[in-house]
Short mmCIF file of all heavy atoms in Angstrom, two decimals:
data_model
loop_
_atom_site.label_atom_id
_atom_site.label_comp_id
_atom_site.label_asym_id
_atom_site.label_seq_id
_atom_site.Cartn_x
_atom_site.Cartn_y
_atom_site.Cartn_z
N PHE A 81 -13.30 -1.75 -34.29
CA PHE A 81 -12.78 -0.91 -33.25
C PHE A 81 -11.36 -1.31 -32.96
O PHE A 81 -10.93 -2.44 -33.08
CB PHE A 81 -13.58 -1.16 -31.90
CG PHE A 81 -14.97 -0.67 -31.89
CD1 PHE A 81 -16.01 -1.48 -31.43
CD2 PHE A 81 -15.23 0.62 -32.29
CE1 PHE A 81 -17.28 -0.99 -31.37
CE2 PHE A 81 -16.58 1.12 -32.22
CZ PHE A 81 -17.59 0.30 -31.78
N ASP A 82 -10.53 -0.30 -32.58
CA ASP A 82 -9.21 -0.47 -31.91
C ASP A 82 -9.43 -0.19 -30.50
O ASP A 82 -9.82 1.00 -30.15
CB ASP A 82 -8.14 0.30 -32.60
CG ASP A 82 -7.63 -0.26 -33.85
OD1 ASP A 82 -8.02 -1.39 -34.17
OD2 ASP A 82 -6.84 0.39 -34.58
N TYR A 83 -9.15 -1.10 -29.60
CA TYR A 83 -9.33 -0.88 -28.16
C TYR A 83 -7.97 -0.48 -27.58
O TYR A 83 -7.01 -1.21 -27.63
CB TYR A 83 -9.86 -2.13 -27.45
CG TYR A 83 -10.03 -1.99 -26.00
CD1 TYR A 83 -11.01 -1.15 -25.48
CD2 TYR A 83 -9.19 -2.64 -25.10
CE1 TYR A 83 -11.20 -0.97 -24.09
CE2 TYR A 83 -9.35 -2.53 -23.73
CZ TYR A 83 -10.34 -1.68 -23.22
OH TYR A 83 -10.54 -1.53 -21.89
N ASN A 84 -7.92 0.74 -26.95
CA ASN A 84 -6.71 1.27 -26.39
C ASN A 84 -6.67 0.74 -24.94
O ASN A 84 -7.46 1.07 -24.12
CB ASN A 84 -6.75 2.78 -26.40
CG ASN A 84 -5.43 3.44 -25.93
OD1 ASN A 84 -4.94 3.08 -24.85
ND2 ASN A 84 -4.93 4.33 -26.69
N LEU A 85 -5.60 -0.04 -24.65
CA LEU A 85 -5.46 -0.64 -23.29
C LEU A 85 -5.20 0.38 -22.26
O LEU A 85 -5.55 0.20 -21.06
CB LEU A 85 -4.43 -1.76 -23.33
CG LEU A 85 -4.86 -3.14 -23.72
CD1 LEU A 85 -5.28 -3.20 -25.22
CD2 LEU A 85 -3.81 -4.16 -23.44
N LYS A 86 -4.52 1.46 -22.60
CA LYS A 86 -4.16 2.49 -21.59
C LYS A 86 -5.37 3.31 -21.19
O LYS A 86 -5.60 3.50 -19.98
CB LYS A 86 -3.02 3.39 -22.11
CG LYS A 86 -1.70 2.66 -22.33
CD LYS A 86 -0.62 3.59 -22.82
CE LYS A 86 0.70 2.93 -22.98
NZ LYS A 86 1.75 3.83 -23.53
N THR A 87 -6.14 3.78 -22.17
CA THR A 87 -7.28 4.64 -21.87
C THR A 87 -8.57 3.84 -21.71
O THR A 87 -9.61 4.37 -21.33
CB THR A 87 -7.47 5.63 -22.96
OG1 THR A 87 -7.77 4.97 -24.18
CG2 THR A 87 -6.19 6.50 -23.17
N LYS A 88 -8.51 2.53 -22.02
CA LYS A 88 -9.68 1.67 -22.00
C LYS A 88 -10.87 2.28 -22.84
O LYS A 88 -12.02 2.29 -22.41
CB LYS A 88 -10.13 1.39 -20.59
CG LYS A 88 -9.10 0.61 -19.78
CD LYS A 88 -9.60 0.29 -18.37
CE LYS A 88 -8.57 -0.48 -17.58
NZ LYS A 88 -8.94 -0.84 -16.21
N SER A 89 -10.51 2.75 -24.02
CA SER A 89 -11.47 3.37 -24.89
C SER A 89 -11.47 2.68 -26.25
O SER A 89 -10.44 2.12 -26.66
CB SER A 89 -11.18 4.87 -25.03
OG SER A 89 -9.89 5.05 -25.56
N LEU A 90 -12.56 2.81 -26.97
CA LEU A 90 -12.73 2.25 -28.33
C LEU A 90 -12.55 3.31 -29.32
O LEU A 90 -13.24 4.39 -29.27
CB LEU A 90 -14.07 1.50 -28.46
CG LEU A 90 -14.28 0.30 -27.65
CD1 LEU A 90 -15.78 -0.06 -27.63
CD2 LEU A 90 -13.47 -0.89 -28.20
N GLU A 91 -11.75 3.12 -30.35
CA GLU A 91 -11.60 4.02 -31.45
C GLU A 91 -12.22 3.33 -32.70
O GLU A 91 -11.85 2.19 -33.05
CB GLU A 91 -10.15 4.32 -31.77
CG GLU A 91 -9.98 5.20 -33.04
CD GLU A 91 -8.51 5.32 -33.45
OE1 GLU A 91 -7.58 4.78 -32.76
OE2 GLU A 91 -8.27 6.01 -34.46
N THR A 92 -13.19 3.95 -33.34
CA THR A 92 -13.82 3.43 -34.46
C THR A 92 -12.95 3.59 -35.69
O THR A 92 -12.60 4.73 -36.11
CB THR A 92 -15.15 4.11 -34.77
OG1 THR A 92 -15.99 3.94 -33.65
CG2 THR A 92 -15.83 3.53 -35.98
N ARG A 93 -12.50 2.47 -36.28
CA ARG A 93 -11.62 2.50 -37.49
C ARG A 93 -12.45 2.32 -38.76
O ARG A 93 -11.99 2.76 -39.79
CB ARG A 93 -10.53 1.42 -37.38
CG ARG A 93 -9.59 1.57 -36.21
CD ARG A 93 -8.80 2.81 -36.29
NE ARG A 93 -8.16 3.03 -37.56
CZ ARG A 93 -6.98 2.45 -37.90
NH1 ARG A 93 -6.30 1.79 -37.01
NH2 ARG A 93 -6.49 2.66 -39.08
N LYS A 94 -13.58 1.71 -38.64
CA LYS A 94 -14.40 1.46 -39.84
C LYS A 94 -15.79 1.10 -39.42
O LYS A 94 -15.96 0.35 -38.41
CB LYS A 94 -13.78 0.41 -40.67
CG LYS A 94 -14.61 0.01 -41.94
CD LYS A 94 -14.05 -1.15 -42.71
CE LYS A 94 -14.97 -1.55 -43.85
NZ LYS A 94 -14.37 -2.71 -44.59
N GLU A 95 -16.79 1.67 -40.08
CA GLU A 95 -18.15 1.18 -40.01
C GLU A 95 -18.59 0.99 -41.46
O GLU A 95 -18.44 1.87 -42.26
CB GLU A 95 -19.10 2.10 -39.29
CG GLU A 95 -20.52 1.59 -39.24
CD GLU A 95 -21.46 2.45 -38.38
OE1 GLU A 95 -21.21 2.51 -37.17
OE2 GLU A 95 -22.38 3.04 -38.91
N VAL A 96 -19.08 -0.23 -41.76
CA VAL A 96 -19.45 -0.53 -43.16
C VAL A 96 -20.39 0.55 -43.67
O VAL A 96 -21.46 0.83 -43.06
CB VAL A 96 -20.04 -1.93 -43.24
CG1 VAL A 96 -20.69 -2.10 -44.64
CG2 VAL A 96 -19.01 -2.94 -43.00
N GLU A 97 -20.06 1.11 -44.79
CA GLU A 97 -20.86 2.18 -45.38
C GLU A 97 -21.99 1.57 -46.18
O GLU A 97 -21.83 0.54 -46.92
CB GLU A 97 -19.98 3.02 -46.33
CG GLU A 97 -20.68 4.12 -47.06
CD GLU A 97 -19.85 4.81 -48.06
OE1 GLU A 97 -18.61 4.61 -48.02
OE2 GLU A 97 -20.39 5.57 -48.90
N ILE A 98 -23.16 2.17 -46.05
CA ILE A 98 -24.34 1.76 -46.80
C ILE A 98 -24.73 2.91 -47.73
O ILE A 98 -25.37 3.90 -47.33
CB ILE A 98 -25.52 1.33 -45.89
CG1 ILE A 98 -25.09 0.27 -44.95
CG2 ILE A 98 -26.77 1.01 -46.67
CD1 ILE A 98 -26.12 -0.12 -43.92
N PRO A 99 -24.20 2.88 -48.96
CA PRO A 99 -24.36 4.06 -49.87
C PRO A 99 -25.78 4.52 -50.10
O PRO A 99 -26.00 5.73 -50.21
CB PRO A 99 -23.73 3.55 -51.20
CG PRO A 99 -22.81 2.47 -50.78
CD PRO A 99 -23.50 1.78 -49.59
N SER A 100 -26.77 3.60 -50.08
CA SER A 100 -28.14 4.04 -50.37
C SER A 100 -28.78 4.66 -49.14
O SER A 100 -29.89 5.14 -49.22
CB SER A 100 -29.02 2.86 -50.82
OG SER A 100 -28.98 1.81 -49.85
N GLY A 101 -28.04 4.59 -48.00
CA GLY A 101 -28.49 5.27 -46.80
C GLY A 101 -29.07 4.28 -45.75
O GLY A 101 -29.72 3.31 -46.09
N TYR A 102 -28.77 4.60 -44.48
CA TYR A 102 -29.26 3.82 -43.38
C TYR A 102 -29.26 4.62 -42.15
O TYR A 102 -28.27 5.29 -41.84
CB TYR A 102 -28.43 2.55 -43.23
CG TYR A 102 -28.77 1.81 -41.99
CD1 TYR A 102 -29.99 1.10 -41.89
CD2 TYR A 102 -27.89 1.74 -40.85
CE1 TYR A 102 -30.33 0.35 -40.73
CE2 TYR A 102 -28.26 1.08 -39.71
CZ TYR A 102 -29.48 0.36 -39.66
OH TYR A 102 -29.81 -0.32 -38.49
N ASP A 103 -30.37 4.59 -41.44
CA ASP A 103 -30.53 5.32 -40.15
C ASP A 103 -30.85 4.32 -39.06
O ASP A 103 -31.96 3.81 -39.04
CB ASP A 103 -31.58 6.36 -40.26
CG ASP A 103 -31.77 7.20 -38.96
OD1 ASP A 103 -31.07 6.85 -37.96
OD2 ASP A 103 -32.60 8.13 -38.96
N LYS A 104 -29.84 3.95 -38.25
CA LYS A 104 -30.10 2.92 -37.26
C LYS A 104 -31.18 3.28 -36.23
O LYS A 104 -31.76 2.38 -35.65
CB LYS A 104 -28.81 2.53 -36.52
CG LYS A 104 -28.22 3.64 -35.64
CD LYS A 104 -26.89 3.19 -35.05
CE LYS A 104 -27.10 2.11 -34.01
NZ LYS A 104 -25.82 1.74 -33.29
N SER A 105 -31.41 4.55 -36.05
CA SER A 105 -32.47 4.95 -35.12
C SER A 105 -33.84 4.56 -35.53
O SER A 105 -34.84 4.63 -34.81
CB SER A 105 -32.42 6.47 -34.88
OG SER A 105 -32.79 7.20 -36.04
N GLU A 106 -33.99 4.17 -36.88
CA GLU A 106 -35.29 3.74 -37.33
C GLU A 106 -35.60 2.30 -37.12
O GLU A 106 -36.61 1.79 -37.53
CB GLU A 106 -35.32 4.03 -38.90
CG GLU A 106 -35.36 5.49 -39.29
CD GLU A 106 -36.61 6.13 -38.76
OE1 GLU A 106 -37.73 5.59 -38.99
OE2 GLU A 106 -36.48 7.21 -38.18
N TYR A 107 -34.63 1.56 -36.41
CA TYR A 107 -34.83 0.15 -36.22
C TYR A 107 -34.61 -0.21 -34.77
O TYR A 107 -33.89 0.51 -34.02
CB TYR A 107 -33.86 -0.64 -37.08
CG TYR A 107 -34.05 -0.33 -38.55
CD1 TYR A 107 -33.40 0.69 -39.15
CD2 TYR A 107 -34.88 -1.20 -39.33
CE1 TYR A 107 -33.57 0.99 -40.49
CE2 TYR A 107 -35.07 -0.93 -40.66
CZ TYR A 107 -34.42 0.15 -41.30
OH TYR A 107 -34.67 0.43 -42.60
N VAL A 108 -35.24 -1.25 -34.29
CA VAL A 108 -35.27 -1.65 -32.88
C VAL A 108 -34.79 -3.10 -32.83
O VAL A 108 -35.29 -3.97 -33.58
CB VAL A 108 -36.62 -1.48 -32.25
CG1 VAL A 108 -36.64 -1.93 -30.80
CG2 VAL A 108 -37.13 -0.03 -32.36
N THR A 109 -33.93 -3.39 -31.86
CA THR A 109 -33.54 -4.80 -31.65
C THR A 109 -33.86 -5.17 -30.16
O THR A 109 -33.78 -4.34 -29.27
CB THR A 109 -32.07 -5.04 -31.94
OG1 THR A 109 -31.78 -6.38 -31.82
CG2 THR A 109 -31.14 -4.25 -31.07
N GLU A 110 -34.22 -6.44 -29.99
CA GLU A 110 -34.57 -6.93 -28.66
C GLU A 110 -33.99 -8.30 -28.47
O GLU A 110 -33.70 -9.00 -29.41
CB GLU A 110 -36.11 -7.06 -28.52
CG GLU A 110 -36.93 -5.80 -28.61
CD GLU A 110 -38.41 -6.07 -28.55
OE1 GLU A 110 -38.82 -7.20 -28.94
OE2 GLU A 110 -39.12 -5.15 -28.13
N ARG A 111 -33.81 -8.64 -27.19
CA ARG A 111 -33.51 -9.98 -26.86
C ARG A 111 -34.61 -10.52 -25.93
O ARG A 111 -34.95 -9.97 -24.97
CB ARG A 111 -32.18 -10.09 -26.08
CG ARG A 111 -31.68 -11.49 -25.89
CD ARG A 111 -30.47 -11.52 -24.95
NE ARG A 111 -29.73 -12.80 -24.96
CZ ARG A 111 -29.20 -13.41 -23.92
NH1 ARG A 111 -29.35 -12.81 -22.73
NH2 ARG A 111 -28.59 -14.49 -24.00
N LYS A 112 -35.15 -11.68 -26.33
CA LYS A 112 -36.24 -12.28 -25.59
C LYS A 112 -35.81 -13.70 -25.20
O LYS A 112 -34.94 -14.27 -25.78
CB LYS A 112 -37.52 -12.35 -26.47
CG LYS A 112 -38.11 -11.01 -26.82
CD LYS A 112 -38.82 -10.33 -25.58
CE LYS A 112 -39.55 -9.10 -25.97
NZ LYS A 112 -40.28 -8.52 -24.82
N MET A 113 -36.50 -14.23 -24.20
CA MET A 113 -36.28 -15.63 -23.77
C MET A 113 -37.61 -16.36 -23.85
O MET A 113 -38.64 -15.95 -23.20
CB MET A 113 -35.75 -15.67 -22.35
CG MET A 113 -34.44 -14.93 -22.07
SD MET A 113 -33.01 -15.61 -22.99
CE MET A 113 -32.70 -17.05 -22.02
N ALA A 114 -37.63 -17.43 -24.70
CA ALA A 114 -38.85 -18.17 -24.90
C ALA A 114 -38.82 -19.46 -24.04
O ALA A 114 -37.80 -20.11 -23.93
CB ALA A 114 -39.00 -18.56 -26.42
N PRO A 115 -39.93 -19.79 -23.44
CA PRO A 115 -40.01 -21.03 -22.67
C PRO A 115 -40.13 -22.23 -23.56
O PRO A 115 -41.03 -22.28 -24.35
CB PRO A 115 -41.15 -20.81 -21.77
CG PRO A 115 -42.10 -19.92 -22.53
CD PRO A 115 -41.18 -18.98 -23.33
N GLY A 116 -39.20 -23.16 -23.50
CA GLY A 116 -39.31 -24.39 -24.22
C GLY A 116 -40.28 -25.37 -23.54
O GLY A 116 -40.64 -25.16 -22.36
N ARG A 117 -40.66 -26.36 -24.21
CA ARG A 117 -41.62 -27.32 -23.71
C ARG A 117 -41.09 -28.10 -22.50
O ARG A 117 -41.86 -28.66 -21.72
CB ARG A 117 -42.07 -28.26 -24.75
CG ARG A 117 -41.02 -29.20 -25.30
CD ARG A 117 -41.46 -29.82 -26.61
NE ARG A 117 -41.60 -28.86 -27.69
CZ ARG A 117 -41.98 -29.12 -28.98
NH1 ARG A 117 -42.31 -30.38 -29.25
NH2 ARG A 117 -42.07 -28.21 -29.86
N ASP A 118 -39.74 -28.12 -22.27
CA ASP A 118 -39.16 -28.78 -21.10
C ASP A 118 -38.74 -27.78 -20.05
O ASP A 118 -38.15 -28.16 -19.06
CB ASP A 118 -37.97 -29.61 -21.51
CG ASP A 118 -36.80 -28.81 -22.09
OD1 ASP A 118 -36.92 -27.54 -22.23
OD2 ASP A 118 -35.79 -29.37 -22.36
N GLY A 119 -39.20 -26.53 -20.24
CA GLY A 119 -38.92 -25.47 -19.23
C GLY A 119 -37.68 -24.66 -19.43
O GLY A 119 -37.47 -23.67 -18.77
N THR A 120 -36.81 -25.10 -20.40
CA THR A 120 -35.62 -24.39 -20.69
C THR A 120 -35.97 -23.04 -21.39
O THR A 120 -36.82 -23.01 -22.27
CB THR A 120 -34.69 -25.22 -21.62
OG1 THR A 120 -34.39 -26.42 -20.97
CG2 THR A 120 -33.41 -24.43 -21.95
N MET A 121 -35.23 -21.96 -21.00
CA MET A 121 -35.44 -20.69 -21.58
C MET A 121 -34.54 -20.52 -22.78
O MET A 121 -33.32 -20.62 -22.66
CB MET A 121 -35.22 -19.53 -20.59
CG MET A 121 -36.15 -19.65 -19.36
SD MET A 121 -37.97 -19.66 -19.77
CE MET A 121 -38.13 -17.95 -20.35
N ILE A 122 -35.07 -20.23 -23.95
CA ILE A 122 -34.33 -20.17 -25.21
C ILE A 122 -34.18 -18.73 -25.63
O ILE A 122 -35.13 -18.02 -25.87
CB ILE A 122 -35.10 -20.96 -26.36
CG1 ILE A 122 -35.47 -22.36 -25.81
CG2 ILE A 122 -34.26 -21.04 -27.59
CD1 ILE A 122 -36.71 -22.89 -26.40
N PRO A 123 -32.91 -18.24 -25.88
CA PRO A 123 -32.71 -16.91 -26.28
C PRO A 123 -33.17 -16.65 -27.77
O PRO A 123 -33.03 -17.52 -28.60
CB PRO A 123 -31.15 -16.69 -26.17
CG PRO A 123 -30.66 -17.89 -25.40
CD PRO A 123 -31.63 -19.01 -25.66
#
């Protein structure tokens, strides 16, 4: 991205191309927090 300081907007200059095809809507990402044995939450 190039971030324009005046408009506070992102311009996409490149997204790595995947020639064989890729649809990001077919995949899901999550962030979870796991309880450690000492009570600490681990991302």
Side-chain angles (χ1 to χ4, degrees):
F81 288 132
D82 280 353
Y83 180 69
N84 187 309
L85 272 68
K86 293 181 179 179
T87 63
K88 296 184 179 179
S89 60
L90 292 167
E91 177 189 359
T92 301
R93 297 298 308 276
K94 175 185 176 180
E95 182 173 293
V96 168
E97 179 186 348
I98 302 177
S100 60
Y102 172 71
D103 181 357
K104 67 182 292 184
S105 68
E106 290 297 312
Y107 300 86
V108 178
T109 185
E110 298 177 332
R111 187 188 196 220
K112 295 286 187 178
M113 301 295 286
R117 63 194 69 180
D118 63 358
T120 300
M121 301 303 291
I122 309 150

